[in-house]
Amino acid sequence: MTLGPIMIDLLGKELLPEERELLQHPLVGGVILFTRNFDNREQIKQLIADVRAVRTPPLLMAVDYEGGRVQRFRKEFTPLPPLRVIGNTYDKDAATGLQLAQQVGWLLAAELRAVGVDLSFGPVVDLDYGASSVIGDRAFHRDAHVVGDLAVAMMHGMRAAGMCAVAKHFPGHGAVVADSHVALPVDRRRYADMTNDLHPYVRLIDNGVPAVMAAHVVFEQIDRVPASFSRRWLVDELRGKLGFTGAVFSDDLSMEGASIMGPMAERATKALQAGCDMVLVCNNREAAIKTLQGVKLSVDPISQVRLARLHGVAAMGDSELFASTQWRSCVDAVENQFSV
């Protein structure tokens, strides 16, 4: 069975019989985990193992795990700083900032890979314009070149630990006030004014970033629909002009920023037709079921290849990880440099 183009979530800390059946649907390709799914490392290992046992090849296991406000697992995991702290460190000393970005990336990925998570949706590469409270300290910096350099360093750290990075939120969420979770943000800038927002993606693509997540933001001077549903952004710009060959994820289609695109199955269909390889349907089980029933698109074999490449590799077990000098040095760097 191949990986389908829809990622869904789970209700609790154990895999329910009805969820096991749901995960066998051919349109399902992945599972995103939340805080409600986590109790401790052994429990999350078992939950992930149970999900993996449902299908061959196994479903992609993902989580939002940026550090700071967005770190779904806390107990028995190293607390990570918001990305802005790394940017502040860079301002004091660029070499130290770059090293810390790499160390945080490795630590984040290594601890997640040890329990079986394939990928984290990060790093955030939105620019910190001071406008967006939902982005805020999740952004590295306002300077596009600093963001690009730090994001590449973090991506390399994640890659060394066996995890793919997912840069977000393409083409940029930092210049709008509205939070796309609860409203539809509209960015009124011209395309010519977005060179800085796109720069981190240019740097990451040049360094082989394997995945990108699109934003539910309308850039009204470029297209009338959110970027996550826009062929202008996903095909013409991201794949055409920027030369991106990896996987494209939508942000969660249950967010208010996606609601203008119709019922959930219609949202999923439109996002996939626009160029997304996988769409997320989270925190609404009824909508997820209706989406699986309503999406009639055939699976794209090219998307299959892009998604299959996102499975994690080179995972250490907990004992090996926690005994390693690299883990200890990265934890020390976090504890010595960051106030979380």
Side-chain angles (χ1 to χ4, degrees):
M1 183 179 287
T2 57
L3 294 176
I6 297 173
M7 178 173 280
I8 63 174
D9 57 352
L10 304 174
L11 296 179
K13 296 178 176 63
E14 297 180 354
L15 186 63
L16 302 175
E18 57 267 31
E19 291 176 330
R20 192 181 304 274
E21 181 177 353
L22 196 62
L23 295 180
Q24 292 175 6
H25 194 289
L27 289 179
V28 174
V31 171
I32 180 170
L33 299 166
F34 290 92
T35 300
R36 67 173 178 271
N37 304 123
F38 176 77
D39 183 53
N40 56 59
R41 292 184 68 88
E42 289 304 315
Q43 170 270 324
I44 202 68
K45 285 181 194 177
Q46 186 61 56
L47 177 59
I48 292 170
D50 290 343
V51 171
R52 288 187 177 281
V54 171
R55 296 265 290 268
T56 302
L59 298 169
L60 288 170
M61 300 300 306
V63 66
D64 278 323
Y65 204 89
E66 305 166 10
R69 287 178 285 157
V70 185
Q71 182 173 341
R72 304 305 187 197
F73 309 155
R74 300 280 179 173
K75 181 181 177 182
E76 301 175 350
F77 282 80
T78 303
L80 300 174
L83 297 187
R84 179 180 292 169
V85 175
I86 301 177
N88 291 342
T89 301
Y90 180 96
D91 286 340
K92 297 172 185 175
D93 183 87
T96 301
L98 290 168
Q99 181 182 17
L100 288 170
Q102 188 274 337
Q103 290 174 308
V104 170
W106 186 90
L107 182 61
L108 175 159
E111 291 192 351
L112 288 174
R113 288 294 302 122
V115 299
V117 174
D118 290 300
L119 69 159
S120 171
F121 289 121
V124 172
V125 297
D126 302 315
L127 304 187
D128 180 16
Y129 289 108
S132 174
S133 60
V134 72
I135 300 300
D137 65 1
R138 295 166 65 193
F140 283 114
H141 209 276
R142 180 164 185 161
D143 187 304
H145 294 274
V146 174
V147 172
D149 290 347
L150 291 174
V152 167
M154 178 168 280
M155 178 184 71
H156 286 323
M158 295 171 70
R159 181 182 293 164
M163 177 175 284
C164 292
V166 185
K168 63 184 185 185
H169 307 81
F170 181 81
H173 201 308
V176 290
V177 174
D179 175 358
S180 55
H181 291 85
V182 296
L184 174 61
V186 178
D187 192 321
R188 295 180 171 82
R189 293 178 296 165
R190 300 170 302 161
Y191 176 79
D193 298 325
M194 297 190 62
T195 302
N196 285 337
D197 298 76
L198 294 172
H199 174 78
Y201 292 97
V202 173
R203 290 277 288 118
L204 287 162
I205 290 168
D206 287 346
N207 282 271
V209 68
V212 165
M213 175 175 278
H216 296 323
V217 177
V218 173
F219 298 84
E220 65 176 13
Q221 299 296 321
I222 295 99
D223 202 345
R224 61 182 178 81
V225 297
S228 44
F229 301 92
S230 169
R231 288 188 67 84
R232 166 66 181 82
W233 280 115
L234 302 184
V235 176
D236 297 345
E237 182 69 22
L238 182 58
R239 296 211 183 276
K241 187 173 181 180
L242 301 185
F244 179 62
T245 59
V248 177
F249 290 88
S250 77
D251 209 338
D252 179 10
L253 297 184
S254 299
M255 292 163 58
E256 185 61 27
S259 65
I260 66 165
M261 303 307 293
M264 197 66 71
E266 188 174 343
R267 299 180 202 181
T269 298
K270 289 178 178 177
L272 293 168
Q273 289 175 332
C276 289
D277 296 290
M278 180 170 277
V279 297
L280 278 65
V281 182
C282 310
N283 302 311
N284 189 331
R285 177 55 55 80
E286 182 181 357
I289 293 171
K290 288 182 177 179
T291 301
L292 295 174
Q293 293 171 341
V295 171
K296 304 302 181 185
L297 296 177
S298 58
V299 175
D300 181 351
I302 298 177
S303 285
Q304 289 290 303
V305 174
R306 293 172 183 149
L307 294 172
R309 290 172 177 167
L310 300 181
H311 280 114
V313 297
M316 288 188 280
D318 279 358
S319 297
E320 181 184 3
L321 174 65
F322 298 141
S324 69
T325 56
Q326 186 168 9
W327 179 81
R328 184 70 263 166
S329 66
C330 289
V331 171
D332 288 345
V334 168
E335 293 177 346
N336 291 338
Q337 296 288 335
F338 303 142
S339 175
V340 180

